[in-house]
Structure formats: C-alpha cells, structure tokens
Amino acid sequence: MSVILDPIKMWEELHKIPELAMQEVKTSAYVAKTLQELGIETQTGIGGTTGVLGVIKGAEPGPVVMLRADMDALPFTIDGKECAIHACGHDSHTAMLLAAASRLKDKVKKGTLKLLFQPAEESIAGALEMIKAGVVDDVDYALGAHIRPIQDVAAGKICPAVNHTASNTLQVVVQGRSAHAARPHLGVNAIDVACAIVQGTQNMWFNPTNIWSMKCTQFHADQGATNSIPEKAVITFDCRAQTNPIMKDFRDRFAKLVQGTAEAYGATATISELGFCPAAEYDEDFKQMVAESIVRTQGEDALAPACGGGGEDFHYYKMHKPTMKAAYFGLGVGATPGLHAATMHFDPQYLPMGVDVMVDVVERLIG
Ligand SMILES: [Zn+2]
Ligand SMILES: [Zn+2]
C-alpha cells in the first residue's frame, strides 16, 4: 500500500529542528528515515556532508531527473542568545520534496528520479559539495523551488522562473605609504585612494535594461595615529548582476578601475573574491513545461509572472553541467515580513501546490 505524506505535517516537524549550514544532522536523519520508510533507495552523508539522496529507478531507460531541496536554517542572536531559525523556509522545501517522493515512489516508469536534499545553501557551500560528490554528473533535468515573500509572488500563485541574480563579494586591499601628516606629499594616503575607487564604481555604467548594482558595504582604514598618513585601507563590495556575462564584464572593468586608480595615486591594490554565486540560467522549453504544470495542476489563475531577487547556489549545478536543463519555480505562500527576517512566517496551506507541480513535471518526463 502506498503512503502519501502530508507536507504540512512534515513542515511542522522540521520547523522544530532548525540547524545551521553543514550541521543539518537531525534534519538529514529525518529525511533519510522518511525515505527509507517509503522504501526508497537512500544514500546519506553525500560527499562527507549531511546531504541525502533518494533514488527511484524506472524499468525502462530514460532521462535522469533531479528534484532538489535545501535543508539549512539561518543564524540569529535573539535576546543575546545564538540560535538557528528557518527564516528562509528551507524546512518547507524539504517537506515538499519528501511529500513529492511519497507520491512518485511507484510512478517512475523510465529513467531515474534523484531526490536531492542539499545542505548549506545559505553559506553557498552545499551545491559545490554535491557537485564534487558527482551527484549531478548524470542529471538531464534539474528542478528547484523556493517559497517567495509576499512582495514577490502573491499567496496561492506560482511563478515558473525565479530569476536569481549573480552575486559577488569583492575585497580590495589598498597599500599606500605612511608619512607625517604635516608632510602628506611624502606619503600615499590609502583613504584617498579607497575613496577614489568607491567613487569610480559609482560612475561605472552598464545597460540600464539589465539588473545590476555595485555597493561598497565595508570600509576599514588605518587605525594608527591621527597625525600620520594612513597606509592601508580595506574596502569590500557587494555586486549583483542579472546574468553571468554581465557579472564577468563587471569584474573585468572593476579590476581595471581598481588597478588604474591605485597606480594613478602611486599605491598598489589587490582584489580578492570573498564569495560568488552564479546567476540563474534556465532552458526555455523546460521553463515552459513547468509553467504548463502550474496551469495543469492549479489552473490558469495560479500562474504568476517570472519573479526575481536574491541568489541561489542551485545555479552551480547548471554551471557545472551546461547541457543539463534547469528550471526553478517560486511558490507564493504569503511569507512576511520577508525572507531572512527572524520573524518570517507564512501560511503552510499552500505547500501542497508546490508538491503538485513537482509531481506533475516528473510524471510528464519519466512517468
Ligand atoms: Zn536564504
Ligand atoms: Zn532560501
């Protein structure tokens, strides 16, 4: 007898055990136990992490389809106490994927269905570990999903493509030369150089029809005497771009700006990358298929326009295997005041809608 699991009940249980990136021990044990009880082949400790993979094979040959959920919560300090909170809703993604697994267990006729429960999305480390473990090497279709904040997608509606931007954190260390403050011409003031670099970035222009931004988010300069010329400054930039080629253009021009400015002042500057996450790259036909599944399962009114915002390490999968077709839908659940807020809450009654879409897509591909 097949068991159909309720995503709302599982979300309630997972919501009580929030765990930080790469520490999802209880969550992954919950996932593995649930998959095993369903009779699904289960691999744990993927790549030495808390990642879990369920595998359902069809009798006939066919494509490999991967459904992916993330499992980690976010760190907060509440009343002076450090804690983890599921403020990005990854507990709901895990619950939806487990519910989809219960419905798809006996439905895969051809090819293979991989159910990937990925750790550490928030730290942008989990997808890379899954890739290193070879999880996506044989995947032909990868489908991800995320609940959306109310500002993005209305409750009860689903957008077929979440257009995540590329994000990049770049740090510049400016090295000038110290001198007596009464003789500034004998030194190179690192603060002057850093300010010129920040101002230069504000005059870098790209096609305004694209989404992009570059902001200086940290500025640290020499802590020495107030009557000496500071020789070192460290500035950090958060960069966003709609596509990966725009981000590359961004970085190339930023490097020229930094080097040219430093040279003009007689300073040196080094750039290091503190973090990177690629932009979404979807295949039109697979995206269209997801849109059709939304309409097929929920009706025309449920289809929301494409939405965007934020980053997702899911897009490393496509970057690793460009021939793989990727899609990623956003589920409107009335999440408020917004994702990553400690008080983020939403209405779980909408979770079965997300499960319906996942199940329909898989059944159409390999059912
Ligand atoms: Zn998040
Ligand atoms: Zn998230």
Side-chain angles (χ1 to χ4, degrees), residues 52-250:
V52 181
L53 184 68
V55 180
I56 304 173
K57 288 194 176 106
E60 299 160 33
V64 178
V65 180
M66 182 176 87
L67 296 177
R68 176 273 207 172
D70 39 17
M71 301 191 289
D72 53 327
L74 283 153
F76 288 90
T77 304
I78 309 279
D79 297 330
K81 260 183 71 183
E82 287 180 10
C83 61
I85 299 174
H86 268 301
C88 205
H90 297 185
D91 47 353
S92 70
H93 308 157
T94 301
M96 284 194 288
L97 187 49
L98 285 171
S102 75
R103 286 172 55 183
L104 288 164
K105 199 201 132 211
D106 302 315
K107 296 279 172 56
V108 178
K109 294 199 177 76
K110 57 186 180 189
T112 302
L113 175 62
K114 286 182 154 182
L115 307 148
L116 177 62
F117 297 85
Q118 180 208 300
E121 190 284 323
E122 295 294 353
S123 61
I124 315 290
L128 290 169
E129 291 298 329
M130 300 300 100
I131 289 167
K132 267 194 245 163
V135 171
V136 295
D137 288 346
D138 62 348
V139 174
D140 300 300
Y141 294 87
L143 178 64
H146 205 295
I147 61 163
R148 302 311 299 165
I150 195 116
Q151 301 87 349
D152 231 31
V153 181
K157 290 188 184 286
I158 308 176
C159 83
V162 183
N163 293 320
H164 298 111
T165 55
S167 65
N168 211 180
T169 310
L170 297 170
Q171 189 169 74
V172 179
V173 177
V174 176
Q175 187 65 50
R177 191 170 63 248
S178 67
H180 194 290
R183 298 177 188 86
H185 57 290
L186 297 179
V188 176
N189 190 327
I191 292 177
D192 290 346
V193 184
C195 286
I197 290 171
V198 173
Q199 278 201 317
T201 62
Q202 288 162 0
N203 295 314
M204 270 171 47
W205 294 104
F206 296 85
N207 187 332
T209 58
N210 296 313
I211 294 167
W212 55 270
S213 69
M214 176 172 266
K215 298 82 57 182
C216 177
T217 52
Q218 287 186 351
F219 194 117
H220 300 287
D222 201 279
Q223 298 288 305
T226 55
N227 57 356
S228 83
I229 298 298
E231 65 174 358
K232 188 177 173 187
V234 181
I235 43 179
T236 309
F237 293 84
D238 176 281
C239 320
R240 308 278 162 158
Q242 192 176 342
T243 66
N244 294 317
I246 296 171
M247 182 59 90
K248 185 179 179 311
D249 195 15
F250 228 63

Side-chain angles (χ1 to χ4, degrees), residues 239-301:
C239 320
R240 308 278 162 158
Q242 192 176 342
T243 66
N244 294 317
I246 296 171
M247 182 59 90
K248 185 179 179 311
D249 195 15
F250 228 63
R251 292 163 53 97
D252 292 348
R253 286 169 63 180
F254 179 71
K256 280 185 193 156
L257 171 86
V258 169
Q259 297 308 337
T261 306
E263 199 182 329
Y265 280 78
T268 59
T270 51
I271 302 170
S272 50
E273 184 179 271
L274 301 188
F276 172 73
C277 192
E281 276 182 25
Y282 301 130
D283 297 87
E284 278 309 313
D285 51 350
F286 192 31
K287 196 169 88 178
Q288 188 57 35
M289 190 181 182
V290 172
E292 284 163 13
S293 284
I294 293 166
V295 174
R296 276 160 57 95
T297 60
Q298 315 300 323
E300 196 84 43
D301 285 351

